[in-house]
Structure formats: C-alpha cells, structure tokens
Amino acid sequence: MRRTALLVSATLLTSLLPLAAAHAAAGAGDPVPAPVPVDRFEGEVPFAAQPAEGIFTWGGDNDDPPTLALTARADAPEGDKVLTGSYDISGYGGFTHDFAADRPAHDWSAHQGVRLWWDGRNTGKKIPFEIKDGGANGEASELWTTSFTDDFTGWKQIELPFTGFTYRTDYQPVGGIDQVLGLTQMWGYALTLPVGVTGDFAMDDVELYGKADQSRRASVTTDAAVYPVREGRTADVEVTVATTGAAPLDEPVTVTYTTDPSGTATAGKDYAPATGELTFPAGTASGTTRTVHVRTLKDRSAESAETIPLKLTVTGARAPAEAPQVVVDAHGLPYLDTHLPIRKRVADLVSRMSPAEKAGQMTQAERGAMTAPGDIATYALGSLLSGGGSTPTPNTPGAWARMIDGFQLRAQATRFQIPLIYGVDAVHGHNNLAGATIMPHNIGLGATRDPALAGRTGEVTAAEVRATGVPWDFAPCLCVSRDERWGRAYESFGEDPALVKSMETVIQGLQGRADGRDLDRDDKVLATAKHFAADGGTAYGSSTTGTYTIDQGVTTVTRSELEAVHLSPFKTAVDRGIGTVMPSFSSLDIVGDGRGPVKMHARADMITGVLKHRMGFDGFVISDWNGIDQLPGDNAAHVRTSVNAGLDMAMVPYTYKEFAGTLTDEVKAGRVTQARIDDAVSRILTQKFRLGLFEHPYADTSGASRIGSAAHRAVARQAAAESQVLLKNAHGVLPLSRHQKVYVAGSNADDLGNQTGGWTLTWQGSSGDITRGTTILQGMRNAGGHVTYSKDASAPTSGYDVGVVVVGETPYAEGVGDVGNGNDLELTAADKAAVHTVCAAMKCVVLVVSGRPQLVGDLLGETDALVASWLPGTEGDGVADVLYGRRPFTGQLPVTWPKSESQLPINVGDASYAPQFPFGWGLTTRTHVPKGGLGTLRALSATARAADRWGADRQGREAVTEARLLVQQRIGSALTEATAKPFAEADRALLSGRYGEAVSALTAAYGAAGR
C-alpha cells in the first residue's frame, strides 16, 4: 500500500550547513540558527528511490503517482528551478524525498519547524505534509503528519512548526519506535496530493527554520487511548513525559487530570470522580511515568458499555493528541451469554443496535485510512482490512498482532463492544507477511491433483494468519479460468469446474469443519469464496477498467453454461460451510435474459436468488475493493443497489464515512428496508460469534513461533514438488544425477520474487530477494548437485553434462497482468537467448516459471526436457526434489497449454482442440511405468466400470491413472488433435468420477496414436 516517507538531502554539499554543527551552533550564542536547506530543487537531488537518496512518487494504483519535473521559472522564490507536477488521483498519491539509507540520518532538533514555498491554486484542498523520525531508514521509521490548506493564489511560504505534527498511528512500526518526535534522526519528508481532482502544483525551497522552543520539546502521552475495565474494577492510566533527544526536562511539566462528565457513564453511580495533578520536576528523565487511577462502581443492572473521558491539562509540554477514555465493559446482557445459542445472541444484539451502529457493522475500511483511529468507535466500524502490501513496519508477526490489537482496543469504546473482524488476502500463504510460508499459487495446486495436500496448505495458511491476529482470509479463489490471457489466471485451480471443486478441500484447511465449530480455534480463519461468479469467463477486450483487457470485463454465457462451469464450484463451497463470499468486479451477460451485461455487485438474482436462497448460503457477502463504485449512478445509487442485491458488507477502503452515512440515509428514506439491514448485520455478527471474537478479540500469538517453521515449509515444499508438470522428457534426461555437472541459466533460476509471483509482500509482487525462502538454484545446490550458474548463459558452456534453463514471467496481479496490457505470453529475448545458447551446447532442461502457459513451440525442438513449474512459492527445494529424483514428477496440466495466442481461448471440451499439450498432460519419472497395449487397457476399462458401479473411487482413480500413463508413453511427442482431444476428455471424466468413460477416452487416444 502506501509508501510515505521523508528526508533531508545528503548531497547538498557546501550549500547545506552540516546538521550536527547546526545543533551545536544553536546553543553556542546565535539565538536563532540560520535556515538550513532541505530541498532546493535545483537538481542537487535526483529522482530516485531507496536505498539511494532521491525523490520518488507513489500511489494507490498505476494512475495515482503524480508526474514530477524540475522546471525553470522566472518567478522561482529561490534559485532558478522549482518542483512542478501534475496529478489525477483516485485513491491516494504523492511523492517523497528520502535520505540515502546507507548514510546517517539528519538532526533537525535545533529548529522550530520546516517550511516551503507553495504556488497556491486556491483549491481549498488540504495538503498533508509528513516527516519521518527515527528507525532504520526513510522507509522504516515513524511518520508524523500535519497539513496546510491551498486557499490562496500565487507563491506563499508555508511554515510548519514541529509542535504541530502528530504521530500517525495508522502508519507503523506499531507502538512506534518511541512515539516521540525526537528530531535527531530525521529521514526526510513526503507530501500527499488531493484526491478526486485533476490538478498541477509547484513548490520550492524546503528548509528548516527558527530556533526550537525548549519548553515545547517535551510531550506527554498515555499508554493507550482506551481503557476497558470490568464494572467495579479500577482503570490505571499511565501518563509518560518524553523529550526530544531523550534529554532530561529543562523545566517542570504538570498534568492536571479530571474525569469528564461528558461521557455516557454517570459520576457517583458508575464511577468515582477523580481529580488531581501530576508533577514532573525539572531534571526528570525522559520516559518517566506516573499513573492515574479511575475507580468504577458496581451495581446490579445489566448495561451496555459506558465511557468516562479523562481530561488532561498539560503545562510545559505538548498534551496528548487524544484524550484517553475509560470504558466500563458491557455486562449482563443476553448477547454476552456464552451459554446461549449463537442465533439468540445475534438476535438480542441486533435488537439493541441503532441504525448507525448497524450501518457501521456493514462497513469495512483499509487500515491505511485510519489516520483518526477514534473513527472505529465513532462510526462503529465492523471491519478493517490490509490490502495487498498494506503492512506494519517492521513487517513481523508481533507487529501485526500489536497493530490489530490496537484497532480492536478502539472497538471496545463502542456501546456494545462489537469486535472488528480483520481481513487479508492470504491467497498462497500469509503472503503479506515477511518470512511467512508461501505456497504455490492455485494454478500450481491444481497441477498437483492432490486434494489432501491442498487441504494441508490451507491449514498452514490459516495457522500463520491467525497467529498474527487476523481471523479472516479473502481466499480461496474459485474462478474457473477459461482464458490464459487473464492477469488472474494463476489464482484459479484450473479450467475445468470439476478440478476446481476437487481442490476446495482448502476450505476445510482454512476453516475446519463445515458447521463452523472450529472457527474459534487459534489456527483457523474465516474463508472467502471469490469471485462470485464467472470472473474466469470474461471475454478478451471486454474490460472497461483503465488499460485492462480482460479482467473486470464481461462474461457472456448461456444459463446452462453458467450453472455447469461457473456456479458449481460455489455450490460446493457452500456445502463445505464457506463463511463469506465476494462478488466479482466483472459483469455477467446471460444469453436470452434480455438484461445485457450487469455488474455482479448489482445482481440480486445471483447474490440473493442463487447464492443465498437456492444454494442456502448462510454466511455474509463482502464486496471487492471499492466494487460498488463501479455501478451506475451516484453514491446513493451504488449503496442501495448493492445492498438490495444482497451485499452485506462493503469494502470501501477510504470512503467508510460516506458509505455508512449514505446507507443510514437510504434506510431512513425507505429505499433499503430495515429487514435487509437486519439480515446483513445478523450474518456478520454470526461469523464474529463463531470466530469467538466477542470472548477473545485480541490476537492469540501462541502459534507465532510456527510461522515459517520447518514443518510448515515442508508442506509448501511438497506442494512445490507435486505442482511440477513434466511436459517433455526425451532420452530420459530427467531426473538429474548429483554426479552430473549441471550448467544453470535463465532469469528465474535465482529469483525468489519471480518464483513467488504476484500477491507476495505487495499487491503486484516484485522481483528479487523479497522474503525468506529458497530459490530453484539454491534448491539444486542444497540437493547436492554439481552446479554452475550463469544467469545470461555468458559463462563458458563446455564441459557440462546437462543444462537447466529457468525462464518465465516476472510478477503481476489482476488486470495489470492482462495480456495486451503491456504483457504477452512470449518468453523474453534474454530467456530465449539463454535457451538457445545452453541447448546448443549440451542436453538441456527448460523450466518455465509462470502464472500461465508460455508459448514455447519454437523452442521445443531444441529442448530435451520441458517442465511447467508454475509459481512454486518460497520452497525452491521442492523443485529440486523432482529434478534430482527425490520425488517423482506427478503433476498434470490444470489448463490447456496452447500452441499460439491465436488459439485462445482454448479449453478441454472445445469442438476444435489442437493444443501444444492437452489438459491433464503430465509425464512421470516414477520407477514403475505401466506396460502393455490394448489388452491392458481393456482390463483397466473393466476395473474402471466396476468401480463406477460400486462407487469404488480409489480403485477407479488407480485404473485411470495406470491407463493415462500407458497412453502418454504411447503418444510420446506425437501429440495431434486426434490424440489430445480424447486424452483431455479422459482427465475431465476422471475428475468428475466417471472412471469407465475416462478409460474409454484414453483407449481412443491410444488408438489414434497408432495411426
């Protein structure tokens, strides 16, 4: 998510007064230190990002980062040039100047504040300005923020005193480095530009000014903003004084406190009033703490939670940004009774809630939007999420838990103390968390054809997610991917609904038993079936979202195709007890219904009619990211249309206030019924009760030590190994021997980011050493192989027994990765050159690391072996396991591998079907490969048909597997349409449990191979 930071230039050279000297000078006689330049915009600071020093842009999506330039202006307030830029931001965007991470931070403590020249446009918009303090570098430090308003025209010097900056609790490190604006280790600045308007700007001469006001270099904080306490107990509020640079106090600080009667608790009845004064004398050490005690009183009545604000008046230091409040816990009410059935607890709670509280429960905000964490209680928010890459700093399990606990604490200040439900996209392991176990993406799991293993990957993911305090996972994706040009193709288990359904064991891995009894365990999470429905069928060229070509487009199907292909996996998910369902961004056009394309977020016939009523789904429906904003009409239309369609909770990351308010207004106006609201809230609360959040809202970190553990990585390693699909193996070049001298090359041999793909640490993912794991090259070395590596194959190639060239894609996600949106299915020129070089010099194996098939037909003649490695995750050892024969190759293609892009879309069951490799194809290196001919196939057919009659699934699968391997051996490299079509149909029949039909199709392929 957001990359705000700040910093002073390290290359100002003689134009910049040495900062350490500036501090010394301020105390040595000069009452006001000279201004110190931070950024003159004359070209002394480049456009660059960390770890180098420079100015860089950032934003919520590809369109949000502003454009920047250094422009010569005759009216420049200082020097010859100014920084100019233009912007059109829908989410968030701005720019940062970061100090070089490998050089010392700067000391700003001698100065009163920072100032800049701004060329006003009189927009009336607030411009947030942020500085970073402490920590390791500009991207791992505390963020402190203030703002100014562009309500003038022409150049104006804006002064921002350091006393006006407040700590951003939504930006981590959680708990802060010390939550004190020390100013002695500063890393730069960032500026956020207005959202929702198209504009341009100019600024100049960022500098430090004035002399620090010593009496304002001290601040008073409390250890929390909310203090829940059981009725009759005493709340202890810790008050701490701290100073810039951690120096002792120069003068006394006093804190007068009094309980404020403006809360909902009644003095004398609910609590004993408390008044007093705390004194921190001159010389008091920074970090000294005093405690204020607030005693609550016990009575006999059942009550909702009541608040007691504590007013603090500070002299000699800066007061806390927010007054703390004691909360007397709700008690004695039926919804709190754990002995009652959940449905009765839910009914009782819903009956007590106000319209605004109900609207809040239906609202989900992004953690990055919580610049005012008190909004959680003010708007009674029901949920927060971390979008892709929205993480605490440091990105550790403990930091995640503390962050989420801090948000949960805020929810305790609401009337009924309804806990938040926090969600993340853990789509192949806890992929937002550095050091987590990253599984193969779903397309790789589909290649394993191993439902039990898929369930185990879900178990590992759930355990690691829940151990960081997150109880909700936006996974699994149950799309049936019908076009490999789709940027989300790797999120699908495959192109056949039966394959997708077979892998839904991952739901039990995540949630446990279908009745929800396991959800309150510390190793289970609520799962989400997405994206309902038919997002895998969108037509190429139908998207209207930015530069996307297929993602968020239109799926046009007959009703029977919709039922058979796209809806059936969701019926299976409902039967498995899936807790939440997310509609697709895409539109559905059902042939013959006369409606044309309709956005799924608006389809009441599908969400309410099919999912909830016909399928019997009893969980809740959560929108996709700002999904309702893609509906026609104004904001009110978006809200009422989606909620009336059956949406129960809206993911409105940065517009949570607007959504909650508009929903309340729509109910008042009668355009959304109270019954619809009560149904939605009841569904949400039911899952919160099932998760045990009312009794245990805070993180249970007892499982944190198992995150990224050897046991968890063993599961990922097995999944990586079983996902490898051996497409070609001429002359038995695989498996390799540890005694062979192996020449390794290619862009993806030693790149952990490339082999984990998108949705890894960040939304789009990135190349490089981004997390903890083992690359394929490292795995081969760990296997004991005699390996030499040359990424571009430029090293001498003589003297080797075999070459391994690892090629493929770089990371992407969603529509950004659509073919035609700057992407194609061709290998890069560098990868092709590496293949040509290595395969011309020795026997060679080519591994394709990618989220979808790549076009390799022109290279097949050069290669001895070809492997579809998919996106195997962090455990490259698993790939090495099959390369060196520790495990046999057993993977099968989850999608059809095309010969050319002109064939797309191509899927099993098509009338015309002549792929490079058919659906289900996958050679093996098992020591036992079946022998025989038609006689053997006839015997296997009899076994398979008997299995059909008696429901003997294991015997049926075994018979089909034997037949498949026999037929593959017969076909060899002579794949034709006559052999590929029945071969693929056989695998589809196997997945549907039609064993006799599968062997018959394989027999037909066998016969065609002999002609």
Side-chain angles (χ1 to χ4, degrees), residues 982-999:
F983 186 92
E985 293 286 2
D987 198 52
R988 186 164 68 160
L990 168 63
L991 288 163
S992 299
R994 305 190 304 272
Y995 307 117
E997 181 183 330
V999 177

Side-chain angles (χ1 to χ4, degrees), residues 737-748:
S737 165
R738 285 182 297 171
H739 303 295
Q740 290 175 306
K741 293 181 66 177
V742 182
Y743 186 101
V744 180
S747 61
N748 287 346

Side-chain angles (χ1 to χ4, degrees), residues 393-419:
T393 304
N395 188 356
T396 63
W400 274 90
R402 290 190 297 272
M403 174 182 72
I404 294 169
D405 282 355
F407 291 138
Q408 287 287 18
L409 183 63
R410 297 289 185 158
Q412 294 298 299
T414 59
R415 262 205 316 165
F416 300 113
Q417 299 180 301
I418 302 173

Side-chain angles (χ1 to χ4, degrees), residues 323-519:
Q325 58 180 327
V326 175
V327 179
V328 183
D329 287 338
H331 56 278
L333 301 174
Y335 79 89
L336 297 170
D337 187 349
T338 59
H339 296 96
L340 289 178
I342 287 177
R343 61 181 176 80
K344 289 189 175 182
R345 298 177 71 182
V346 169
D348 176 70
L349 181 50
V350 171
S351 71
R352 299 175 185 276
M353 295 170 67
S354 70
E357 288 168 328
K358 293 175 181 178
Q361 283 303 299
M362 296 173 66
T363 306
Q364 183 184 65
E366 153 66 34
R367 61 169 283 279
M370 290 294 103
T371 54
D375 282 354
I376 292 172
T378 301
Y379 295 94
L381 295 181
S383 181
L384 294 180
L385 84 151
S386 279
S390 179
T391 65
T393 304
N395 188 356
T396 63
W400 274 90
R402 290 190 297 272
M403 174 182 72
I404 294 169
D405 282 355
F407 291 138
Q408 287 287 18
L409 183 63
R410 297 289 185 158
Q412 294 298 299
T414 59
R415 262 205 316 165
F416 300 113
Q417 299 180 301
I418 302 173
L420 295 164
I421 180 170
Y422 199 99
V424 297
D425 288 278
V427 298
H428 61 140
H430 196 354
N431 44 257
N432 276 318
L433 173 65
T437 307
I438 304 300
M439 303 292 171
H441 270 293
N442 284 353
I443 195 168
L445 292 182
T448 70
R449 296 298 202 280
D450 190 338
L453 178 58
R456 289 171 62 201
T457 67
E459 290 172 356
V460 170
T461 298
E464 296 198 0
V465 169
R466 195 68 182 257
T468 60
V470 178
W472 184 14
D473 184 4
F474 305 133
C477 185
L478 301 183
C479 54
V480 181
S481 176
R482 307 292 284 178
D483 192 329
E484 278 63 64
R485 292 171 291 189
W486 188 30
R488 301 193 88 135
Y490 63 76
E491 295 187 50
S492 172
F493 292 113
E495 70 186 35
D496 184 74
L499 174 56
V500 174
K501 290 192 288 185
S502 72
M503 305 308 287
E504 290 185 44
T505 48
V506 72
I507 294 173
Q508 263 56 67
L510 293 168
Q511 290 195 167
R513 286 172 288 187
D515 60 7
R517 282 183 291 169
D518 297 328
L519 282 173

Side-chain angles (χ1 to χ4, degrees), residues 433-761:
L433 173 65
T437 307
I438 304 300
M439 303 292 171
H441 270 293
N442 284 353
I443 195 168
L445 292 182
T448 70
R449 296 298 202 280
D450 190 338
L453 178 58
R456 289 171 62 201
T457 67
E459 290 172 356
V460 170
T461 298
E464 296 198 0
V465 169
R466 195 68 182 257
T468 60
V470 178
W472 184 14
D473 184 4
F474 305 133
C477 185
L478 301 183
C479 54
V480 181
S481 176
R482 307 292 284 178
D483 192 329
E484 278 63 64
R485 292 171 291 189
W486 188 30
R488 301 193 88 135
Y490 63 76
E491 295 187 50
S492 172
F493 292 113
E495 70 186 35
D496 184 74
L499 174 56
V500 174
K501 290 192 288 185
S502 72
M503 305 308 287
E504 290 185 44
T505 48
V506 72
I507 294 173
Q508 263 56 67
L510 293 168
Q511 290 195 167
R513 286 172 288 187
D515 60 7
R517 282 183 291 169
D518 297 328
L519 282 173
D520 62 350
R521 285 172 35 177
D522 66 0
D523 61 350
K524 294 299 174 189
V525 294
L526 195 68
T528 306
K530 64 183 188 183
H531 302 89
F532 185 82
D535 58 331
T538 51
Y540 188 82
S542 66
S543 180
T544 58
T545 300
T547 57
Y548 295 3
T549 58
I550 188 167
D551 189 43
Q552 304 185 20
V554 179
T555 299
T556 302
V557 286
T558 64
R559 191 166 293 278
S560 62
E561 289 171 336
L562 176 65
E563 295 284 347
V565 176
H566 299 291
L567 286 176
S568 60
F570 288 93
K571 179 62 171 70
T572 302
V574 171
D575 293 342
R576 287 183 174 275
I578 195 77
T580 61
V581 170
M582 181 182 291
S584 172
F585 280 122
S586 61
S587 300
L588 180 62
D589 185 359
I590 302 176
V591 176
D593 74 352
R595 299 182 64 185
V598 179
K599 283 283 185 181
M600 279 304 309
H601 281 73
R603 292 210 69 132
D605 61 326
M606 300 300 296
I607 297 174
T608 298
V610 173
L611 178 64
K612 290 183 174 179
H613 290 170
R614 197 184 81 195
M615 293 184 181
F617 173 61
D618 64 359
F620 69 89
V621 177
I622 169 71
S623 84
D624 209 331
W625 181 281
N626 279 331
I628 69 172
D629 288 349
Q630 295 193 10
L631 303 183
D634 59 11
N635 184 55
H638 298 165
V639 172
R640 66 173 171 269
T641 300
S642 59
V643 173
N644 284 334
L647 190 73
D648 301 309
M649 181 183 286
M651 187 186 293
V652 280
Y654 294 92
T655 56
Y656 58 92
K657 298 176 187 177
E658 293 84 346
F659 174 82
T662 301
L663 179 56
T664 302
D665 292 342
E666 290 297 295
V667 174
K668 288 180 182 176
R671 290 185 287 268
V672 177
T673 67
Q674 190 61 58
R676 172 76 272 270
I677 298 300
D678 287 351
D679 172 62
V681 175
S682 296
R683 289 169 176 268
I684 294 165
L685 293 177
T686 296
Q687 300 300 347
K688 290 186 176 184
F689 278 116
R690 285 176 174 172
L691 286 162
L693 294 177
F694 280 83
E695 290 72 46
H696 304 288
Y698 303 114
D700 181 344
T701 60
S702 58
S705 63
R706 296 192 294 275
I707 294 173
S709 65
H712 286 184
R713 290 181 183 274
V715 174
R717 179 174 180 166
Q718 181 182 349
E722 291 191 23
S723 71
Q724 303 299 293
V725 180
L726 183 57
L727 300 173
K728 178 183 178 181
N729 192 26
H731 317 300
V733 67
L734 288 175
L736 304 174
S737 165
R738 285 182 297 171
H739 303 295
Q740 290 175 306
K741 293 181 66 177
V742 182
Y743 186 101
V744 180
S747 61
N748 287 346
D750 195 32
D751 196 304
L752 196 59
N754 288 357
Q755 75 183 45
T756 53
W759 289 107
T760 308
L761 274 297

